[in-house]
Amino acid sequence: MIVPEYWAEARRQVRHRRRSVTVRRFGWSELSLEAAQAHAEARVQQAMDAILAGESLPRRERRTHYGVEGVPIREQVVAREGEDVITRNSYGALCLNTPDVLFADIDLEEPPSGCVLPFLLSAACWLGVMAIIGVNANNWWIGAAAATLALVLLNWLVVVVRRVRFNANGGAQGRALAKLEQFARQQPDWTLRTYRTPAGLRVLVMHAVFDPQDKAVHQFFKAVHADPLYARMCRLQHCFRARLTPKPWRMGMKARIQPRVAAWSPEQANRPDRLAWIADYERQSPGFAACQYLRTFGDTVRVHPRAAQVRALHDRYSRAESRLPLA
């Protein structure tokens, strides 16, 4: 996991086979802006050489804060806690980035809604009803209207039945917790500390540390139906991540942090409008929690010291043990 303090960008343009070729690359460093610029110059030259040699590479790297292969996390570093780094993300919330303590985000299932009937079954029902009504009424328009109404009513009935079953199985949260409980039964030596978030569940694995590339991590993500985008980000950035403070719009903040671009520099950090927004955010955020502790599955005794350290940091910042409203 790399979360650099300093960023720079280099640009190189040459004429090649009567065409102009322009390449841009980022550079980064934990030491200085000069070191970041030197890194950018080295990377842009390497990319230019590869492109001129015939390799198919992008001419420039996307300006994004998180999730690009080959480029580290590009966010303001707020604090370093040993091996863990707290950053401020693109919308202003604090995020915990840890190289070896496993977090998983699980989005809750949506209850059944919309059109749930298979297309072929719907078409067959519609044609059948239309034919019967149309022939008996001697009016195909009446038949078509009756078939459409019947199909709408049938779909509504199926949705109602599926929602009853969905809620009988515990609803969205109950179904997600059941998957965790099932995993814990299959892997009784695992310890799964579970939290509720505004949109789903968060799981902190307490019994061991992990490399984000470990096969066991990917199997765990698949078993508990972790958010696929989150799982991908873990692989790309070689770290695990958890949002520590509320999303500003969930607290009622209408203004957005500035600048809202992925590029980062000390000059951007000290912009007066940015500092004013952060001060307002920090005045309001103590009234909300980013997540709320629910329960622990599996072996509740076996706790790795690193996981315990991260748990204490996470719970303190996120106010997970409080009963504050989630945001």
Side-chain angles (χ1 to χ4, degrees):
M1 181 184 77
I2 302 175
V3 188
E5 295 271 0
Y6 300 97
W7 285 86
E9 188 176 20
R11 178 180 180 272
R12 191 69 47 84
Q13 185 176 32
V14 300
R15 297 288 298 181
H16 180 67
R17 296 177 181 175
R18 299 182 180 182
R19 298 180 64 184
S20 177
V21 179
T22 303
V23 178
R24 298 173 184 266
R25 286 294 184 270
F26 293 118
W28 52 87
S29 171
E30 297 184 10
L31 300 176
S32 67
L33 186 58
E34 292 75 18
Q37 188 64 52
H39 186 227
E41 298 290 347
R43 293 186 74 239
V44 78
Q45 185 61 56
Q46 182 182 31
M48 177 66 80
D49 292 343
I51 289 171
L52 297 183
E55 289 190 40
S56 179
L57 295 176
R59 300 295 177 89
R60 66 185 304 166
E61 291 169 324
R62 290 192 298 126
R63 287 179 173 267
T64 183
H65 65 287
Y66 184 58
V68 176
E69 190 167 4
V71 178
I73 296 171
R74 190 179 175 87
E75 293 177 342
Q76 178 191 7
V77 175
V78 176
R80 294 186 184 271
E81 302 275 352
E83 299 177 67
D84 309 308
V85 183
I86 297 174
T87 58
R88 192 176 300 279
N89 70 10
S90 60
Y91 53 80
L94 298 183
C95 292
L96 172 63
N97 305 275
T98 177
D100 56 0
V101 178
L102 174 53
F103 283 93
D105 277 343
I106 302 172
D107 291 334
L108 298 183
E109 294 179 63
E110 294 290 336
S113 63
C115 183
V116 298
L117 296 177
F119 174 76
L120 292 178
L121 175 62
S122 301
C125 290
W126 189 87
L127 290 171
V129 173
M130 184 191 70
I132 294 172
I133 301 297
V135 169
N136 288 312
N138 198 27
N139 188 316
W140 292 107
W141 289 109
I142 293 176
T148 301
L149 178 60
L151 200 61
V152 169
L153 291 175
L154 178 61
N155 185 79
W156 173 81
L157 180 62
V158 173
V159 168
V160 169
V161 171
R162 289 188 179 182
R163 285 204 173 197
V164 169
R165 291 177 179 173
F166 184 85
N167 293 328
N169 290 331
Q173 178 172 305
R175 290 162 69 92
L177 290 173
K179 292 183 179 71
L180 292 172
E181 190 169 19
Q182 180 181 9
F183 181 88
R185 285 197 301 267
Q186 295 171 348
Q187 303 288 342
D189 55 334
W190 281 55
T191 306
L192 309 178
R193 184 174 170 86
T194 308
Y195 304 82
R196 177 64 200 251
T197 65
L201 300 178
R202 176 179 298 171
V203 182
L204 170 55
V205 180
M206 298 290 294
H207 71 281
V209 294
F210 296 85
D211 186 307
Q213 309 301 316
D214 282 350
K215 184 178 179 180
V217 171
H218 307 317
Q219 291 174 338
F220 171 65
F221 284 160
K222 184 177 180 180
V224 301
H225 294 196
D227 176 17
L229 179 60
Y230 172 79
R232 178 176 179 271
M233 295 302 100
C234 290
R235 291 194 300 271
L236 289 178
Q237 294 297 348
H238 300 269
C239 75
F240 304 104
R241 184 169 164 100
R243 178 172 57 83
L244 295 176
T245 58
K247 291 185 174 180
W249 58 88
R250 287 178 177 157
M251 301 191 303
M253 293 183 67
K254 298 187 181 301
R256 297 189 177 185
I257 192 169
Q258 299 295 332
R260 291 183 292 150
V261 294
W264 184 252
S265 70
E267 290 76 19
Q268 290 176 334
N270 294 314
R271 283 178 46 159
D273 57 345
R274 183 180 180 88
L275 295 177
W277 187 96
I278 291 173
D280 188 29
Y281 177 81
E282 291 180 346
R283 279 194 297 270
Q284 298 189 47
S285 59
F288 299 86
C291 62
Q292 187 177 89
Y293 173 68
L294 293 178
R295 58 171 294 189
T296 298
F297 294 96
D299 186 348
T300 58
V301 177
R302 189 180 176 199
V303 175
H304 193 281
R306 265 287 291 149
Q309 178 188 21
V310 169
R311 195 277 308 162
L313 179 67
H314 169 269
D315 287 7
R316 173 163 53 89
Y317 271 89
S318 66
R319 301 180 177 88
E321 298 283 2
S322 73
R323 288 295 177 261
L324 293 170
L326 296 176

